[in-house]
Amino acid sequence: MSSLEHIYRYIDDHFDDHLERVRTLVRQPSISGEGVGMAETAAMVAGLIAEAGGSAEIVPTAGWPVVYGEINVGAAKTLLVYGMYDVQPVAGEKWSVPDPFGGHLLEMSNLGLCLVNRGVANQKGPLASFFNTLQAFRAVGQPYPVNLKFMIEGEEELGSRHLPDFVAQNRERLKADYAFFAHFSQDLTGKVIMYLGVKGILFLELIARGGDWGGPTSRGIHGSNAVWLHSPTWVLVHALASMLTPDQKHVLIDGFYDDIVPPSAEDEALLERLITTFTPETELIRDDARRFKYDLTGVPLLRKYLYQPQLNIDGIISGYTGEGTKTLLPHEARAKIDIRMVPNMRPERMLQLVKDHLARHGYADKIEVVVHDGYPPGKAGLSANPAAQAMLKAYRDLGFEPEIWPHLAGSAPFYLFTETLGIPVVMGGLGQGGRQHSPDEYATVDGIRMCEKSIAAFLLNLADQS
Amino acid sequence: MSSLEHIYRYIDDHFDDHLERVRTLVRQPSISGEGVGMAETAAMVAGLIAEAGGSAEIVPTAGWPVVYGEINVGAAKTLLVYGMYDVQPVAGEKWSVPDPFGGHLLEMSNLGLCLVNRGVANQKGPLASFFNTLQAFRAVGQPYPVNLKFMIEGEEELGSRHLPDFVAQNRERLKADYAFFAHFSQDLTGKVIMYLGVKGILFLELIARGGDWGGPTSRGIHGSNAVWLHSPTWVLVHALASMLTPDQKHVLIDGFYDDIVPPSAEDEALLERLITTFTPETELIRDDARRFKYDLTGVPLLRKYLYQPQLNIDGIISGYTGEGTKTLLPHEARAKIDIRMVPNMRPERMLQLVKDHLARHGYADKIEVVVHDGYPPGKAGLSANPAAQAMLKAYRDLGFEPEIWPHLAGSAPFYLFTETLGIPVVMGGLGQGGRQHSPDEYATVDGIRMCEKSIAAFLLNLADQS
């Protein structure tokens, strides 16, 4: 038996224990947006690094701490493991399990037995799987094939606000040959999907308030006054409406599309290959929708999805939203919006365009723009990326031919690797998980096992390449 | 001393007791929108009628009960006292007193000692004052000058949903010569204001949901999908924006202004007199605003305020509205809106116009229209209205020359008197109260005393006219 086969067998034989280790990590709440359980979770992650034979440090930032770790086995190459220990809030959500942090196992239709828990897909499940894989290496007496560094942040769900500072201040000790983000890569049908990058994001809050320009200034007043007093709620509604066409296909902010570049030759080739396996129907099922915004399919649909930026309303609130009626002229209205940026777009420029738009439409004195977070896109590539090649080979070793995407429609601060640290990065791992940011976030139990095996293969492939 | 002077003196001598009786009524929560304390409050009101020597009945409706009562003293004329025992919600509001239902006394700047409590202005304070006045009549041995009937509803804040049914079903026993709604009529400066009618209202909820047309159908999904999936939140924003110009001055719903009629000759004369005492600055202070929507003053400003209908957003909610960030494409968005209707407008027609507007703009399959309540305007008039004449004389007897408004900008179901029962109606009473529907709703303590006296004079004037 090869050393990889030994590790596979160990994982199979000890999977009940491994699954319990995953459940232990996901049961610990770590809601960065609400400040729930953050210190406890950071300590658990530091403990996992120490257990894997490393040195671990909980490094304070201006926000939640980063867990940093090192395991130097004297190997030729070093892998920087990036991860996140924070999760999304669950307030107001309806889950099928009694407790979103209960570590509940649930038989889900078409998926089999699943671990249903906030953060199990994004990203504590894959993170725990990584440490389980290291445990298997140690148990079978197989040295780690590469040196490891860990940078596990607690603010990914807050837009990784302080990670850029951390990276800038720790550039020396973050030196590595490549970076890795563990991720359940299989879709609902079991197909493996590989994303070679991410979009950028700018997350803003627009707050309209009464003031010198008009409207009630410090409290909601009787609704009958709307006939002669301005409403900040209408201001916000009109300001938002001015930014997007009613068919929701075209953003009306001047310059919004100016920085877009056409897909690279490698991306074009990937798109052509992608449409041979890409199934729009699977995407619709995953997203609980019945049709796309565009009457397109194939490469044209994918071009919209991957190479077109968008403006989204994540949330809006103003006035009386309880039961029954209350006639009110509100003094304030708030909208959380995000702009998803495609390659070559920059958050600082988008922010300026939004502000310019509001000013040009007469909203400068009526609407405050609060920046919650923002970072540019990150492209990792494939042919010149040894980490991506090692992951691709791991999939193939385990019998999976992945569907390769030029990048993800979602966002992560990969620019810190591709731009700031200047090293190749890959995200991957077998396994099925979903409903990130939504109720009933899940990972299939069997997928967790496969994730561990794929990470073992990936680590060995990395060393083999060297 | 006249019998009126006896009553005045009794009120002065026993005002501490009377104030406690007001506090007792307002301390009892009665939030119809949330179903809090409704049965208890109905029983208290029935008790007050019984204590005044009447028969009282708590009459079930399809919603909260109506408290009906009769006191027949063999007088020539009968007054129907209309009132409300329900109040607005307080959830999420910040009050200066520890408890919005604490019956707290607070020294307020420019107002003196005030009773600060939800409902003390709208309308439990005036209602309790009315019963205190009756107590004074009895205590000094003065028979009530008119027979009394009471119709005290528990759904005024819900748009008096079931009062029309109650009136239709009880037309016989509601027979009276005139109707009265007790009300603190003095503004911040102490000026007495008399309103000879009310606007109508149509209160709707617009609910945009994902469906066959697009968008997520049953749960919020990851925000990155907004690039290729529709958003119900954007649908609601665009639908609302399509209904009003960005300057908030003109409603864009076809036919919205068609039914408006010019002010009557009596109204025109009242407007001309009104501008000699009307102070826009006082209105702005009351409404916590710095300027009106229109650069107008005098009669032109009042014409906008009183004779122009408006569309207001009372509340809007969708998606993630908590702390921090959560990128979400919501599956649902809701807005509560109201249309204030001026004389000759009808709620059923306005509802049709809103639905037609949504259909014409392509929202018929995307937005559900829920009717919360609606009733037409009610005009009571002055010269041909003996109840209004009796109240006007009461003010003058007590040394106040009122500022007379053709009607109120707010709404109440006065059409039930002016149209359905076909009797004159007046609302009035001395006293200062304010911040209805807002935090720190208040009534001045001295105003409660003056209210009681003015009601005594009103009742005696009514009988004198006959």
Side-chain angles (χ1 to χ4, degrees):
Chain A
M1 255 194 326
S2 72
S3 42
L4 189 55
E5 283 164 333
H6 270 116
I7 293 168
Y8 286 175
R9 173 167 297 179
Y10 180 88
I11 289 170
D12 285 333
D13 291 346
H14 297 80
F15 186 65
D16 285 352
D17 291 345
H18 276 195
L19 180 61
E20 280 313 304
R21 288 161 56 95
V22 176
R23 294 172 82 183
T24 300
L25 187 64
V26 299
R27 275 181 179 135
Q28 168 60 52
S30 53
I31 307 172
S32 50
E34 299 170 354
V36 175
M38 297 305 290
E40 295 84 342
T41 315
M44 284 179 78
V45 172
L48 289 168
I49 295 170
E51 190 196 284
S55 63
E57 188 184 338
I58 296 174
V59 186
T61 73
W64 299 116
V66 171
V67 182
Y68 177 78
E70 291 184 8
I71 307 178
N72 191 334
V73 294
K77 298 287 182 174
T78 299
L79 176 69
L80 173 59
V81 178
Y82 164 63
M84 54 193 267
Y85 67 86
D86 68 325
V87 303
Q88 283 280 334
V90 295
E93 293 183 345
K94 284 184 192 162
W95 287 61
S96 301
V97 292
D99 178 0
F101 292 102
H104 292 284
L105 296 174
L106 186 71
E107 194 72 26
M108 292 177 81
S109 64
N110 300 325
L111 289 167
L113 193 64
C114 291
L115 179 50
V116 175
N117 202 104
R118 169 57 80 230
V120 70
N122 183 22
Q123 183 248 351
K124 280 166 151 185
L127 185 64
S129 298
F130 188 90
F131 286 107
N132 281 342
T133 304
L134 295 189
Q135 193 271 333
F137 271 89
R138 290 196 312 285
V140 303
Q142 170 72 32
Y144 302 147
V146 290
N147 305 316
L148 294 166
K149 293 184 176 181
F150 295 89
M151 178 175 71
I152 316 298
E153 69 157 320
E155 300 190 303
E156 201 280 341
E157 299 296 2
L158 305 178
S160 304
R161 286 180 203 165
H162 301 100
L163 197 64
D165 287 346
F166 179 86
V167 171
Q169 287 156 17
N170 293 275
R171 212 178 277 254
E172 266 312 302
R173 58 176 181 171
L174 289 171
K175 271 193 173 164
D177 297 285
Y178 10 65
F180 171 59
F181 181 77
H183 166 71
F184 295 133
S185 303
Q186 294 178 265
D187 75 0
L188 287 173
T189 67
K191 185 170 64 182
V192 177
I193 304 187
M194 202 167 174
Y195 297 105
L196 301 175
V198 291
K199 289 192 188 176
I201 191 167
L202 176 62
F203 196 103
L204 304 175
E205 188 157 356
L206 305 183
I207 309 173
R209 294 191 184 92
D212 289 338
W213 64 272
T217 58
S218 68
R219 57 184 163 84
I221 62 173
H222 197 282
S224 61
N225 290 293
V227 69
W228 66 357
L229 293 178
H230 281 103
S231 159
T233 314
W234 277 115
V235 163
L236 184 64
V237 162
H238 279 114
L240 288 169
S242 73
M243 294 181 178
L244 186 72
T245 53
D247 67 5
Q248 305 186 13
K249 291 181 181 174
H250 196 81
V251 175
L252 297 169
I253 297 170
D254 275 6
F256 190 78
Y257 299 99
D258 284 1
D259 299 335
I260 304 177
V261 290
S264 65
E266 182 174 271
D267 279 16
E268 285 287 3
L270 287 170
L271 287 179
E272 290 300 332
R273 181 139 47 105
L274 183 50
I275 54 159
T276 63
T277 55
F278 166 71
T279 50
E281 297 71 24
T282 309
E283 303 291 325
L284 287 177
I285 292 168
R286 185 196 68 182
D287 298 332
D288 185 39
R290 295 175 193 152
R291 56 176 297 249
F292 292 102
K293 201 186 284 188
Y294 301 96
D295 287 326
L296 298 173
T297 187
V299 169
L301 179 61
L302 287 175
R303 275 187 205 281
K304 293 287 184 193
Y305 187 45
L306 298 178
Y307 299 94
Q308 180 168 290
Q310 182 64 356
L311 176 64
N312 178 47
I313 303 175
D314 303 279
I316 184 169
I317 187 163
S318 180
Y320 182 70
T321 58
E323 285 301 302
T325 69
K326 174 165 179 167
T327 68
L328 189 74
L329 173 54
H331 70 294
E332 187 178 278
R334 293 168 173 261
K336 296 187 190 240
I337 63 173
D338 76 79
I339 293 172
R340 294 274 169 184
M341 287 172 291
V342 299
N344 203 45
M345 292 173 76
R346 306 298 299 188
E348 52 276 18
R349 174 154 164 79
M350 284 299 114
L351 175 61
Q352 192 56 51
L353 293 182
V354 170
K355 287 183 174 175
D356 290 350
H357 177 93
L358 291 174
R360 197 163 43 245
H361 285 75
Y363 297 116
D365 60 333
K366 302 174 183 72
I367 296 180
E368 181 191 1
V369 179
V370 176
V371 180
H372 280 293
D373 61 73
Y375 46 79
K379 292 284 283 182
L382 180 62
S383 52
N385 181 339
Q389 293 295 334
M391 184 56 77
L392 180 57
K393 183 168 185 307
Y395 291 144
R396 288 173 175 162
D397 290 346
L398 282 153
F400 292 89
E401 182 59 39
E403 180 180 88
I404 303 175
W405 290 63
H407 53 261
L408 177 69
S411 307
F414 279 18
Y415 80 100
L416 291 171
F417 308 105
T418 57
E419 282 187 32
T420 312
L421 295 175
I423 56 176
V425 57
V426 70
M427 57 180 181
L430 291 177
Q432 281 178 293
R435 299 205 176 167
Q436 299 95 327
H437 296 211
S438 296
D440 289 351
E441 182 173 350
Y442 70 91
T444 67
V445 166
D446 195 58
I448 293 170
R449 183 206 309 253
M450 293 305 289
C451 182
E452 297 182 6
K453 290 184 180 177
S454 66
I455 289 169
F458 166 63
L459 294 175
L460 286 163
N461 290 343
L462 266 185
D464 285 349
Q465 285 187 337
S466 308
Chain B
M1 259 194 326
S2 72
S3 43
L4 188 56
E5 283 164 334
H6 270 116
I7 292 168
Y8 285 175
R9 173 166 298 178
Y10 181 88
I11 289 170
D12 285 333
D13 291 348
H14 298 80
F15 186 65
D16 286 353
D17 292 345
H18 277 194
L19 181 61
E20 281 312 305
R21 287 160 57 96
V22 176
R23 294 172 82 183
T24 300
L25 186 65
V26 299
R27 274 183 179 131
Q28 168 61 52
S30 53
I31 307 172
S32 50
E34 299 171 354
V36 175
M38 297 305 290
E40 294 85 341
T41 314
M44 284 178 79
V45 172
L48 289 168
I49 296 170
E51 189 195 283
S55 62
E57 189 184 338
I58 297 173
V59 186
T61 73
W64 300 116
V66 171
V67 182
Y68 178 78
E70 290 184 9
I71 309 179
N72 191 332
V73 294
K77 298 287 183 175
T78 299
L79 177 68
L80 173 60
V81 179
Y82 164 62
M84 55 194 268
Y85 66 86
D86 67 327
V87 303
Q88 283 280 333
V90 296
E93 294 182 345
K94 284 184 192 162
W95 287 60
S96 301
V97 291
D99 177 0
F101 291 103
H104 292 284
L105 296 174
L106 187 71
E107 195 72 29
M108 292 178 80
S109 65
N110 301 325
L111 289 167
L113 193 65
C114 292
L115 180 49
V116 176
N117 202 106
R118 169 57 81 231
V120 70
N122 185 21
Q123 184 246 350
K124 280 166 149 183
L127 185 64
S129 298
F130 188 91
F131 285 108
N132 280 342
T133 304
L134 296 189
Q135 194 272 331
F137 271 90
R138 291 196 313 284
V140 302
Q142 170 73 33
Y144 302 146
V146 290
N147 305 317
L148 294 165
K149 293 184 175 180
F150 294 90
M151 178 174 72
I152 316 298
E153 69 157 320
E155 300 190 303
E156 201 280 339
E157 299 297 1
L158 303 179
S160 303
R161 286 180 203 166
H162 301 100
L163 197 63
D165 287 347
F166 179 86
V167 171
Q169 288 157 15
N170 294 274
R171 212 178 277 256
E172 266 314 300
R173 57 175 181 171
L174 289 171
K175 270 193 175 166
D177 297 285
Y178 10 66
F180 172 58
F181 180 77
H183 166 69
F184 294 133
S185 302
Q186 292 177 268
D187 75 0
L188 287 172
T189 68
K191 186 170 63 182
V192 178
I193 304 187
M194 204 167 172
Y195 297 105
L196 302 174
V198 290
K199 290 191 188 175
I201 191 167
L202 176 64
F203 195 102
L204 306 175
E205 189 157 354
L206 306 184
I207 309 173
R209 293 192 184 91
D212 289 337
W213 64 271
T217 58
S218 67
R219 56 182 166 86
I221 62 172
H222 197 281
S224 60
N225 289 293
V227 69
W228 66 356
L229 294 178
H230 282 103
S231 159
T233 314
W234 276 116
V235 163
L236 184 65
V237 162
H238 278 113
L240 287 170
S242 73
M243 294 181 178
L244 186 71
T245 53
D247 68 4
Q248 306 185 15
K249 292 180 181 175
H250 196 81
V251 176
L252 297 169
I253 297 170
D254 275 7
F256 190 79
Y257 299 99
D258 284 1
D259 298 336
I260 304 177
V261 290
S264 66
E266 182 174 272
D267 279 15
E268 285 287 2
L270 288 170
L271 286 179
E272 288 300 332
R273 181 135 50 102
L274 183 50
I275 55 158
T276 64
T277 55
F278 167 69
T279 49
E281 297 71 23
T282 308
E283 303 291 324
L284 287 177
I285 292 167
R286 184 196 69 181
D287 297 332
D288 185 40
R290 294 174 195 155
R291 55 175 298 247
F292 292 102
K293 201 185 284 188
Y294 301 96
D295 288 326
L296 298 173
T297 186
V299 170
L301 179 60
L302 287 174
R303 275 186 207 280
K304 292 288 184 190
Y305 187 45
L306 297 179
Y307 300 93
Q308 180 168 292
Q310 181 64 355
L311 175 65
N312 178 47
I313 303 175
D314 303 279
I316 183 169
I317 188 164
S318 179
Y320 181 70
T321 59
E323 285 302 302
T325 68
K326 175 166 179 166
T327 67
L328 189 74
L329 173 54
H331 71 294
E332 187 178 279
R334 293 168 173 260
K336 296 187 189 240
I337 63 173
D338 76 79
I339 293 173
R340 294 273 169 184
M341 288 172 289
V342 299
N344 204 45
M345 292 174 75
R346 306 298 300 188
E348 52 277 16
R349 174 154 163 77
M350 284 300 114
L351 175 61
Q352 192 55 52
L353 293 183
V354 169
K355 287 184 173 174
D356 289 350
H357 177 93
L358 292 174
R360 197 163 43 245
H361 286 75
Y363 296 116
D365 60 334
K366 302 175 183 72
I367 295 180
E368 181 190 2
V369 180
V370 177
V371 181
H372 280 293
D373 61 73
Y375 46 77
K379 293 283 282 183
L382 180 62
S383 52
N385 181 339
Q389 293 294 335
M391 184 56 77
L392 181 57
K393 184 169 184 307
Y395 292 144
R396 288 173 176 164
D397 291 346
L398 282 153
F400 293 88
E401 183 58 41
E403 180 180 89
I404 304 176
W405 290 63
H407 54 260
L408 175 69
S411 307
F414 279 19
Y415 79 100
L416 291 172
F417 309 105
T418 57
E419 281 187 32
T420 313
L421 295 176
I423 56 176
V425 59
V426 69
M427 59 180 179
L430 290 176
Q432 280 178 294
R435 298 203 178 169
Q436 298 97 326
H437 296 211
S438 296
D440 289 351
E441 182 172 351
Y442 71 91
T444 67
V445 166
D446 194 58
I448 292 169
R449 183 206 308 253
M450 294 304 290
C451 182
E452 297 183 5
K453 290 183 180 177
S454 66
I455 289 169
F458 166 64
L459 293 175
L460 286 163
N461 290 343
L462 266 185
D464 286 347
Q465 286 185 337
S466 309

